[in-house]
């Protein structure tokens, strides 16, 4: 695990220091390593059955929307989202800075989705907090699939009949990475 985190840090540092960057004016920071722009084959919608994740990449590499596994709500960068919940109450999500890094030589895509604050009301029960999720992996040669290792760093607090402001335990040293298959959605789907 330590080796993977060190690798993630080194990749991020290498891409940031050697690539070209676009400003994060809309809540998404894009870094391209190597010659050229964000590749056309990545532009569009990428979905994962596992966890319900979805990213929509624009031609400049920015993510215009994402569906996160917590709540499976469509979020837009830099915009607070409020949705009604099935058991009553509402879900409120405030995204943080998202980032996209792509390395042409390795065909490696790195995505970070930060939710700075969320609050989900399920009847009288409430879960709130923040989370950061990292997805790191190589895009297939045909440009139609992306196996990404996901690392999640959640900070959740629950408020229920039994627990009041209980912070759910999380140990970053015991944070297993999860491999998730993203597939590009074709226009007809």
């Amino acid at each position: 695990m330590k080796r993977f985190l060190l690798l993630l840090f080194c990749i991020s540092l290498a891409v940031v220091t050697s690539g070209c960057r676009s400003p994060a004016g809309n809540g998404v920071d894009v870094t391209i390593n190597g010659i050229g722009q964000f590749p056309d084959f990545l532009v569009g919608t990428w979905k994962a059955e596992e966890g319900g994740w979805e990213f929509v990449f624009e031609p400049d590499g920015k993510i215009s929307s994402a569906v996160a596994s917590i709540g499976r709500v469509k979020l837009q960068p830099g915009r607070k989202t409020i949705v009604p919940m099935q058991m009553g109450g509402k879900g409120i999500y405030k995204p943080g800075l998202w980032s996209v890094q792509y390395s042409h030589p390795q065909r490696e895509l790195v995505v970070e989705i930060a939710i700075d604050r969320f609050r989900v009301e399920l009847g009288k029960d409430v879960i709130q907090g923040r989370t950061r999720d990292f997805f790191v992996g190589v895009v297939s040669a045909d440009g139609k699939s992306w196996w990404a290792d996901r690392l999640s760093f959640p900070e959740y607090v629950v408020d229920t009949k039994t627990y009041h402001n209980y912070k759910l335990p999380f140990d970053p040293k015991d944070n297993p990475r999860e491999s998730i298959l993203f597939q590009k959605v074709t226009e007809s789907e």
Side-chain angles (χ1 to χ4, degrees):
M1 181 54 153
K2 288 180 183 177
R3 188 182 304 164
F4 181 75
L5 289 175
L6 180 61
L7 178 63
L8 179 63
F9 174 76
C10 291
I11 291 168
S12 297
L13 185 61
V15 171
V16 167
T17 58
S18 67
C20 63
R21 298 179 65 138
S22 68
N26 72 340
V28 182
D29 187 23
V30 178
T31 304
I32 307 298
N33 184 18
I35 299 171
Q37 301 294 319
F38 193 72
D40 289 339
F41 65 84
L42 286 176
V43 175
T45 303
W46 289 76
K47 285 187 178 185
E49 295 297 322
E50 183 81 23
W53 287 95
E54 175 183 305
F55 304 126
V56 178
F57 294 102
E58 297 300 318
D60 61 0
K62 292 180 180 172
I63 298 172
S64 57
S65 70
V67 174
S69 64
I70 184 152
R72 296 191 182 193
V73 173
K74 183 175 262 189
L75 304 173
Q76 294 178 321
R79 299 181 79 180
K80 181 164 68 171
T81 300
I82 301 173
V83 295
M85 302 306 293
Q86 290 180 350
M87 297 171 59
K90 60 187 171 187
I92 304 167
Y93 301 84
K94 183 183 179 295
L97 178 64
W98 297 352
S99 66
V100 175
Q101 299 174 12
Y102 183 73
S103 171
H104 283 283
Q106 288 82 24
R107 293 182 65 89
E108 184 173 62
L109 179 61
V110 179
V111 172
E112 175 188 0
I113 300 294
I115 300 175
D116 281 351
R117 186 177 188 296
F118 73 90
R119 177 182 171 88
V120 176
E121 302 165 352
L122 302 168
K124 294 182 181 185
D125 298 333
V126 175
I127 183 168
Q128 59 188 337
R130 63 185 179 166
T131 186
R132 292 177 69 188
D133 291 279
F134 294 88
F135 301 85
V136 180
V138 176
V139 179
S140 66
D142 66 3
K144 295 180 180 178
S145 61
W146 171 44
W147 273 105
D149 286 333
R150 174 188 175 219
L151 279 173
S152 185
F153 297 90
E155 294 179 24
Y156 298 157
V157 176
V158 295
D159 211 349
T160 67
K161 189 175 184 177
T162 308
Y163 299 102
H164 181 65
N165 287 332
Y166 176 72
K167 184 174 182 179
L168 295 176
F170 172 73
D171 182 358
K173 295 175 188 166
D174 186 29
N175 187 7
R177 60 183 172 197
E178 166 188 25
S179 289
I180 299 176
L181 175 61
F182 285 85
Q183 294 183 312
K184 182 145 187 207
V185 176
T186 59
E187 295 289 323
S188 61
E189 290 184 43

mmCIF file of all heavy atoms in Angstrom, residues 86-114:
data_model
loop_
_atom_site.group_PDB
_atom_site.id
_atom_site.type_symbol
_atom_site.label_atom_id
_atom_site.label_comp_id
_atom_site.label_asym_id
_atom_site.label_seq_id
_atom_site.Cartn_x
_atom_site.Cartn_y
_atom_site.Cartn_z
ATOM 1 N N GLN A 86 -35.299 9.713 -1.236
ATOM 2 C CA GLN A 86 -36.486 8.854 -1.273
ATOM 3 C C GLN A 86 -37.155 8.698 0.088
ATOM 4 O O GLN A 86 -38.358 8.580 0.175
ATOM 5 C CB GLN A 86 -36.131 7.471 -1.820
ATOM 6 C CG GLN A 86 -35.812 7.497 -3.285
ATOM 7 C CD GLN A 86 -35.464 6.124 -3.821
ATOM 8 O OE1 GLN A 86 -35.285 5.169 -3.081
ATOM 9 N NE2 GLN A 86 -35.369 6.021 -5.141
ATOM 10 N N MET A 87 -36.392 8.693 1.160
ATOM 11 C CA MET A 87 -36.954 8.512 2.494
ATOM 12 C C MET A 87 -37.267 9.848 3.172
ATOM 13 O O MET A 87 -37.475 9.908 4.376
ATOM 14 C CB MET A 87 -35.969 7.715 3.367
ATOM 15 C CG MET A 87 -35.716 6.317 2.858
ATOM 16 S SD MET A 87 -34.384 5.468 3.734
ATOM 17 C CE MET A 87 -34.972 5.485 5.409
ATOM 18 N N GLY A 88 -37.290 10.907 2.400
ATOM 19 C CA GLY A 88 -37.501 12.240 2.949
ATOM 20 C C GLY A 88 -36.159 12.919 3.158
ATOM 21 O O GLY A 88 -35.116 12.298 3.158
ATOM 22 N N GLY A 89 -36.194 14.210 3.325
ATOM 23 C CA GLY A 89 -34.963 14.964 3.471
ATOM 24 C C GLY A 89 -34.347 15.273 2.118
ATOM 25 O O GLY A 89 -34.987 15.159 1.071
ATOM 26 N N LYS A 90 -33.078 15.672 2.151
ATOM 27 C CA LYS A 90 -32.396 16.029 0.912
ATOM 28 C C LYS A 90 -30.927 15.654 1.007
ATOM 29 O O LYS A 90 -30.400 15.402 2.089
ATOM 30 C CB LYS A 90 -32.558 17.522 0.636
ATOM 31 C CG LYS A 90 -31.996 18.419 1.721
ATOM 32 C CD LYS A 90 -32.335 19.873 1.473
ATOM 33 C CE LYS A 90 -31.942 20.705 2.697
ATOM 34 N NZ LYS A 90 -32.385 22.054 2.598
ATOM 35 N N GLY A 91 -30.312 15.636 -0.139
ATOM 36 C CA GLY A 91 -28.872 15.422 -0.237
ATOM 37 C C GLY A 91 -28.238 16.697 -0.755
ATOM 38 O O GLY A 91 -28.729 17.290 -1.717
ATOM 39 N N ILE A 92 -27.187 17.139 -0.101
ATOM 40 C CA ILE A 92 -26.483 18.356 -0.500
ATOM 41 C C ILE A 92 -25.024 17.976 -0.741
ATOM 42 O O ILE A 92 -24.381 17.382 0.130
ATOM 43 C CB ILE A 92 -26.571 19.437 0.592
ATOM 44 C CG1 ILE A 92 -28.028 19.734 0.936
ATOM 45 C CG2 ILE A 92 -25.842 20.710 0.163
ATOM 46 C CD1 ILE A 92 -28.212 20.550 2.198
ATOM 47 N N TYR A 93 -24.500 18.333 -1.909
ATOM 48 C CA TYR A 93 -23.136 17.991 -2.281
ATOM 49 C C TYR A 93 -22.413 19.239 -2.767
ATOM 50 O O TYR A 93 -22.904 19.935 -3.651
ATOM 51 C CB TYR A 93 -23.127 16.959 -3.414
ATOM 52 C CG TYR A 93 -23.850 15.679 -3.061
ATOM 53 C CD1 TYR A 93 -25.234 15.575 -3.206
ATOM 54 C CD2 TYR A 93 -23.157 14.580 -2.582
ATOM 55 C CE1 TYR A 93 -25.899 14.407 -2.881
ATOM 56 C CE2 TYR A 93 -23.819 13.409 -2.258
ATOM 57 C CZ TYR A 93 -25.183 13.332 -2.412
ATOM 58 O OH TYR A 93 -25.843 12.175 -2.090
ATOM 59 N N LYS A 94 -21.237 19.502 -2.212
ATOM 60 C CA LYS A 94 -20.410 20.631 -2.645
ATOM 61 C C LYS A 94 -19.063 20.074 -3.098
ATOM 62 O O LYS A 94 -18.235 19.686 -2.272
ATOM 63 C CB LYS A 94 -20.209 21.634 -1.514
ATOM 64 C CG LYS A 94 -19.422 22.853 -1.940
ATOM 65 C CD LYS A 94 -19.179 23.781 -0.772
ATOM 66 C CE LYS A 94 -18.384 24.976 -1.195
ATOM 67 N NZ LYS A 94 -17.030 24.687 -1.641
ATOM 68 N N PRO A 95 -18.837 20.020 -4.416
ATOM 69 C CA PRO A 95 -17.575 19.477 -4.920
ATOM 70 C C PRO A 95 -16.395 20.378 -4.575
ATOM 71 O O PRO A 95 -16.530 21.592 -4.475
ATOM 72 C CB PRO A 95 -17.769 19.444 -6.439
ATOM 73 C CG PRO A 95 -19.226 19.588 -6.662
ATOM 74 C CD PRO A 95 -19.760 20.348 -5.492
ATOM 75 N N GLY A 96 -15.243 19.750 -4.427
ATOM 76 C CA GLY A 96 -13.992 20.470 -4.283
ATOM 77 C C GLY A 96 -13.317 20.533 -5.645
ATOM 78 O O GLY A 96 -13.965 20.353 -6.681
ATOM 79 N N LEU A 97 -12.023 20.752 -5.647
ATOM 80 C CA LEU A 97 -11.260 20.779 -6.892
ATOM 81 C C LEU A 97 -11.109 19.359 -7.420
ATOM 82 O O LEU A 97 -10.742 18.455 -6.676
ATOM 83 C CB LEU A 97 -9.877 21.389 -6.657
ATOM 84 C CG LEU A 97 -8.957 21.434 -7.867
ATOM 85 C CD1 LEU A 97 -9.538 22.344 -8.957
ATOM 86 C CD2 LEU A 97 -7.577 21.912 -7.464
ATOM 87 N N TRP A 98 -11.424 19.160 -8.685
ATOM 88 C CA TRP A 98 -11.222 17.886 -9.354
ATOM 89 C C TRP A 98 -9.982 18.014 -10.217
ATOM 90 O O TRP A 98 -9.623 19.120 -10.649
ATOM 91 C CB TRP A 98 -12.409 17.521 -10.231
ATOM 92 C CG TRP A 98 -13.702 17.325 -9.480
ATOM 93 C CD1 TRP A 98 -13.883 17.284 -8.123
ATOM 94 C CD2 TRP A 98 -14.995 17.144 -10.049
ATOM 95 N NE1 TRP A 98 -15.206 17.075 -7.818
ATOM 96 C CE2 TRP A 98 -15.914 16.990 -8.983
ATOM 97 C CE3 TRP A 98 -15.480 17.089 -11.333
ATOM 98 C CZ2 TRP A 98 -17.277 16.790 -9.184
ATOM 99 C CZ3 TRP A 98 -16.831 16.893 -11.548
ATOM 100 C CH2 TRP A 98 -17.727 16.737 -10.470
ATOM 101 N N SER A 99 -9.342 16.905 -10.501
ATOM 102 C CA SER A 99 -8.187 16.980 -11.397
ATOM 103 C C SER A 99 -8.176 15.795 -12.356
ATOM 104 O O SER A 99 -8.663 14.708 -12.035
ATOM 105 C CB SER A 99 -6.877 17.039 -10.607
ATOM 106 O OG SER A 99 -6.647 15.846 -9.913
ATOM 107 N N VAL A 100 -7.632 16.070 -13.528
ATOM 108 C CA VAL A 100 -7.459 15.067 -14.577
ATOM 109 C C VAL A 100 -6.011 15.172 -15.025
ATOM 110 O O VAL A 100 -5.525 16.263 -15.324
ATOM 111 C CB VAL A 100 -8.399 15.332 -15.779
ATOM 112 C CG1 VAL A 100 -8.119 14.354 -16.914
ATOM 113 C CG2 VAL A 100 -9.848 15.282 -15.352
ATOM 114 N N GLN A 101 -5.329 14.033 -15.051
ATOM 115 C CA GLN A 101 -3.958 13.986 -15.552
ATOM 116 C C GLN A 101 -3.883 12.863 -16.582
ATOM 117 O O GLN A 101 -4.373 11.762 -16.331
ATOM 118 C CB GLN A 101 -2.970 13.704 -14.417
ATOM 119 C CG GLN A 101 -2.992 14.753 -13.343
ATOM 120 C CD GLN A 101 -2.117 14.375 -12.162
ATOM 121 O OE1 GLN A 101 -1.321 13.452 -12.220
ATOM 122 N NE2 GLN A 101 -2.278 15.094 -11.064
ATOM 123 N N TYR A 102 -3.282 13.184 -17.714
ATOM 124 C CA TYR A 102 -3.130 12.154 -18.740
ATOM 125 C C TYR A 102 -1.702 12.163 -19.237
ATOM 126 O O TYR A 102 -1.135 13.214 -19.542
ATOM 127 C CB TYR A 102 -4.088 12.366 -19.912
ATOM 128 C CG TYR A 102 -3.975 11.248 -20.929
ATOM 129 C CD1 TYR A 102 -4.493 9.989 -20.652
ATOM 130 C CD2 TYR A 102 -3.299 11.440 -22.118
ATOM 131 C CE1 TYR A 102 -4.340 8.950 -21.548
ATOM 132 C CE2 TYR A 102 -3.155 10.402 -23.034
ATOM 133 C CZ TYR A 102 -3.676 9.156 -22.737
ATOM 134 O OH TYR A 102 -3.527 8.117 -23.630
ATOM 135 N N SER A 103 -1.110 10.961 -19.335
ATOM 136 C CA SER A 103 0.232 10.796 -19.856
ATOM 137 C C SER A 103 0.147 10.081 -21.204
ATOM 138 O O SER A 103 -0.239 8.914 -21.256
ATOM 139 C CB SER A 103 1.076 9.974 -18.884
ATOM 140 O OG SER A 103 2.313 9.647 -19.476
ATOM 141 N N HIS A 104 0.476 10.808 -22.281
ATOM 142 C CA HIS A 104 0.459 10.203 -23.619
ATOM 143 C C HIS A 104 1.394 8.995 -23.723
ATOM 144 O O HIS A 104 0.971 7.948 -24.220
ATOM 145 C CB HIS A 104 0.825 11.239 -24.687
ATOM 146 C CG HIS A 104 -0.286 12.173 -25.022
ATOM 147 N ND1 HIS A 104 -1.351 11.819 -25.814
ATOM 148 C CD2 HIS A 104 -0.515 13.451 -24.651
ATOM 149 C CE1 HIS A 104 -2.183 12.843 -25.934
ATOM 150 N NE2 HIS A 104 -1.699 13.845 -25.230
ATOM 151 N N PRO A 105 2.656 9.099 -23.263
ATOM 152 C CA PRO A 105 3.566 7.955 -23.441
ATOM 153 C C PRO A 105 3.076 6.674 -22.763
ATOM 154 O O PRO A 105 3.228 5.590 -23.316
ATOM 155 C CB PRO A 105 4.877 8.439 -22.808
ATOM 156 C CG PRO A 105 4.801 9.927 -22.839
ATOM 157 C CD PRO A 105 3.347 10.262 -22.686
ATOM 158 N N GLN A 106 2.481 6.775 -21.588
ATOM 159 C CA GLN A 106 2.035 5.582 -20.865
ATOM 160 C C GLN A 106 0.554 5.271 -21.051
ATOM 161 O O GLN A 106 0.085 4.246 -20.551
ATOM 162 C CB GLN A 106 2.301 5.741 -19.354
ATOM 163 C CG GLN A 106 3.749 5.649 -18.964
ATOM 164 C CD GLN A 106 4.488 6.961 -19.166
ATOM 165 O OE1 GLN A 106 3.889 8.030 -19.183
ATOM 166 N NE2 GLN A 106 5.787 6.878 -19.354
ATOM 167 N N ARG A 107 -0.199 6.168 -21.687
ATOM 168 C CA ARG A 107 -1.655 6.049 -21.825
ATOM 169 C C ARG A 107 -2.321 5.950 -20.449
ATOM 170 O O ARG A 107 -3.339 5.302 -20.274
ATOM 171 C CB ARG A 107 -2.054 4.845 -22.684
ATOM 172 C CG ARG A 107 -1.650 4.968 -24.135
ATOM 173 C CD ARG A 107 -2.108 3.795 -24.952
ATOM 174 N NE ARG A 107 -3.549 3.683 -25.064
ATOM 175 C CZ ARG A 107 -4.305 4.250 -26.005
ATOM 176 N NH1 ARG A 107 -3.752 5.011 -26.914
ATOM 177 N NH2 ARG A 107 -5.612 4.054 -26.021
ATOM 178 N N GLU A 108 -1.703 6.602 -19.482
ATOM 179 C CA GLU A 108 -2.200 6.540 -18.108
ATOM 180 C C GLU A 108 -3.096 7.742 -17.815
ATOM 181 O O GLU A 108 -2.744 8.876 -18.082
ATOM 182 C CB GLU A 108 -1.049 6.517 -17.115
ATOM 183 C CG GLU A 108 -1.545 6.355 -15.697
ATOM 184 C CD GLU A 108 -0.412 6.166 -14.732
ATOM 185 O OE1 GLU A 108 0.420 7.077 -14.622
ATOM 186 O OE2 GLU A 108 -0.371 5.107 -14.093
ATOM 187 N N LEU A 109 -4.258 7.428 -17.238
ATOM 188 C CA LEU A 109 -5.239 8.442 -16.858
ATOM 189 C C LEU A 109 -5.378 8.426 -15.348
ATOM 190 O O LEU A 109 -5.554 7.359 -14.746
ATOM 191 C CB LEU A 109 -6.592 8.141 -17.523
ATOM 192 C CG LEU A 109 -7.748 9.089 -17.227
ATOM 193 C CD1 LEU A 109 -7.439 10.509 -17.698
ATOM 194 C CD2 LEU A 109 -9.024 8.566 -17.885
ATOM 195 N N VAL A 110 -5.282 9.603 -14.735
ATOM 196 C CA VAL A 110 -5.446 9.774 -13.293
ATOM 197 C C VAL A 110 -6.545 10.806 -13.086
ATOM 198 O O VAL A 110 -6.496 11.899 -13.639
ATOM 199 C CB VAL A 110 -4.139 10.263 -12.625
ATOM 200 C CG1 VAL A 110 -4.341 10.468 -11.128
ATOM 201 C CG2 VAL A 110 -2.992 9.301 -12.896
ATOM 202 N N VAL A 111 -7.543 10.451 -12.286
ATOM 203 C CA VAL A 111 -8.652 11.354 -11.992
ATOM 204 C C VAL A 111 -8.789 11.458 -10.478
ATOM 205 O O VAL A 111 -8.727 10.450 -9.774
ATOM 206 C CB VAL A 111 -9.981 10.840 -12.603
ATOM 207 C CG1 VAL A 111 -11.168 11.671 -12.146
ATOM 208 C CG2 VAL A 111 -9.893 10.828 -14.124
ATOM 209 N N GLU A 112 -8.970 12.677 -10.001
ATOM 210 C CA GLU A 112 -9.258 12.906 -8.586
ATOM 211 C C GLU A 112 -10.608 13.612 -8.490
ATOM 212 O O GLU A 112 -10.830 14.633 -9.137
ATOM 213 C CB GLU A 112 -8.200 13.781 -7.932
ATOM 214 C CG GLU A 112 -8.537 14.131 -6.492
ATOM 215 C CD GLU A 112 -7.599 15.157 -5.872
ATOM 216 O OE1 GLU A 112 -6.670 15.620 -6.560
ATOM 217 O OE2 GLU A 112 -7.802 15.490 -4.700
ATOM 218 N N ILE A 113 -11.496 13.041 -7.695
ATOM 219 C CA ILE A 113 -12.800 13.650 -7.435
ATOM 220 C C ILE A 113 -12.863 13.956 -5.941
ATOM 221 O O ILE A 113 -12.819 13.043 -5.120
ATOM 222 C CB ILE A 113 -13.968 12.711 -7.829
ATOM 223 C CG1 ILE A 113 -13.912 12.360 -9.309
ATOM 224 C CG2 ILE A 113 -15.311 13.320 -7.450
ATOM 225 C CD1 ILE A 113 -14.138 13.521 -10.265
ATOM 226 N N ALA A 114 -12.953 15.235 -5.627
ATOM 227 C CA ALA A 114 -13.059 15.658 -4.224
ATOM 228 C C ALA A 114 -14.457 16.213 -3.987
ATOM 229 O O ALA A 114 -14.965 17.015 -4.780
ATOM 230 C CB ALA A 114 -12.010 16.723 -3.909
#
